[in-house]
């Protein structure tokens, strides 16, 4: 969180032309910390946060950054340092009967406040449908981990707190449903055919591409009508 804030503060000053508290960077650093394994060296967390913050300024539309910063940083350092993702912030070490109600209560509150409930429902519905079909159609042991700790808590944490990032997710409910289904399909595909630890984050980045393209198309159409 400290590195994210230190990196973002001067960049915000240049971008906004006035000093501003880097609240978005602090949140990004917090998400990075909650996903990274706590056993990684300190510089891995620092680099992940720095990459995440810088990515906001490198890939943008006219209104917002295209990619979820935390997802970009976590995927980048997975390849740079072979960084582990434990999703400890989703409370996988706490009994399920405690962790799940807390995740649902806090997650529903957050998703409701940012008006992203359809996005969450579309993602979770498609995600568990695909894994259920795979379990019945093939060897259920290959996908069983999606339904148990720690992956169960991780996918809920992802859906409620990462996927709903307002700058990188759709506003209209119809767009949210389409985006949520796409994210789930990409995450399932990466899990099945690549098996990478960042399969959820890969889905988020694919959804970000769709939303960035949609916003760019909308802007061009608006200019053409004007």
């Amino acid at each position: 969180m400290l590195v994210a804030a230190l990196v973002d503060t001067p960049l915000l000053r240049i971008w906004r032309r006035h000093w501003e508290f880097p609240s978005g960077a602090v949140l990004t650093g917090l998400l990075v910390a909650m996903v990274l394994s706590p056993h990684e060296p300190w510089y891995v967390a620092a680099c992940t946060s720095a990459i995440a913050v810088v990515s906001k300024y490198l890939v943008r539309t006219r209104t917002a950054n295209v990619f979820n910063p935390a997802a970009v940083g976590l995927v980048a350092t997975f390849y740079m340092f072979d960084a582990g993702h434990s999703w400890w912030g989703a409370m996988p070490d706490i009994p399920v009967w405690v962790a799940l109600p807390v995740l649902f209560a806090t997650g529903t509150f957050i998703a409701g406040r940012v008006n992203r409930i359809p996005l969450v429902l579309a993602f979770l519905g498609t995600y568990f449908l695909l894994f259920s079909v795979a379990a019945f159609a093939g060897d259920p042991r290959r996908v069983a981990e999606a339904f148990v700790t720690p992956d169960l808590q991780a996918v809920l944490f992802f859906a409620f707190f990462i996927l709903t990032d307002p700058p990188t997710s759709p506003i209209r409910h119809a767009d949210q449903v389409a985006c949520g289904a796409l994210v789930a399909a990409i995450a399932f595909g990466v899990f099945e055919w690549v098996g990478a630890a960042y399969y959820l984050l890969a889905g988020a980045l694919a959804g970000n591409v769709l939303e960035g393209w949609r916003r760019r198309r909308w802007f061009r159409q608006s200019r053409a009508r004007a």
Side-chain angles (χ1 to χ4, degrees):
M1 291 170 63
L2 177 61
V3 169
L6 290 175
V7 171
D8 199 35
T9 297
L11 293 176
L12 269 177
R13 175 66 177 84
I14 296 171
W15 189 263
R16 302 276 178 84
R17 298 184 178 181
H18 63 267
W19 293 107
E20 185 175 322
F21 180 74
S23 56
V26 171
L27 177 59
T28 295
L30 182 61
L31 291 173
V32 164
M34 287 184 167
V35 174
L36 272 179
S37 169
H39 302 294
E40 293 296 331
W42 67 269
Y43 57 82
V44 174
C47 287
T48 304
S49 292
I51 292 170
V53 169
V54 171
S55 73
K56 294 194 303 180
Y57 300 93
L58 293 180
V59 186
R60 299 183 60 88
T61 63
R62 289 180 176 270
T63 56
N65 47 291
V66 173
F67 294 110
N68 183 294
V72 171
L74 288 162
V75 173
T77 53
F78 173 86
Y79 285 104
M80 292 171 61
F81 303 109
D82 194 25
H85 298 169
S86 70
W87 294 83
W88 67 268
M91 303 177 292
D93 297 324
I94 296 177
V96 174
W97 61 270
V98 175
L100 292 187
V102 172
L103 282 172
F104 271 111
T106 56
T108 302
F109 174 77
I110 294 297
R113 288 296 298 268
V114 297
N115 194 25
R116 296 300 190 278
I117 292 292
L119 176 63
V120 172
L121 292 178
F123 167 75
L124 291 177
T126 306
Y127 177 90
F128 285 113
L129 175 62
L130 290 173
F131 276 96
S132 297
V133 170
F136 282 102
D139 183 0
R141 291 173 296 183
R142 294 184 63 250
V143 295
E145 61 190 89
F147 301 94
V148 297
T149 300
D151 285 33
L152 177 59
Q153 288 92 328
V155 73
L156 293 175
F157 183 92
F158 168 81
F160 285 124
F161 301 109
I162 294 181
L163 186 59
T164 56
D165 176 43
T168 59
S169 59
I171 297 175
R172 293 176 53 202
H173 287 179
D175 295 331
Q176 289 183 35
V177 172
C179 183
L182 173 69
V183 171
I186 296 297
F188 173 77
V190 173
F191 179 94
E192 280 281 272
W193 295 297
V194 180
Y198 59 81
Y199 68 98
L200 292 171
L201 302 171
L205 295 177
N208 295 160
V209 171
L210 174 65
E211 176 59 11
W213 172 81
R214 189 197 62 77
R215 291 182 182 182
R216 184 175 179 83
R217 186 184 65 172
W218 176 86
F219 178 77
R220 287 181 173 178
Q221 290 175 346
S222 299
R223 289 189 62 184
R225 288 193 296 267

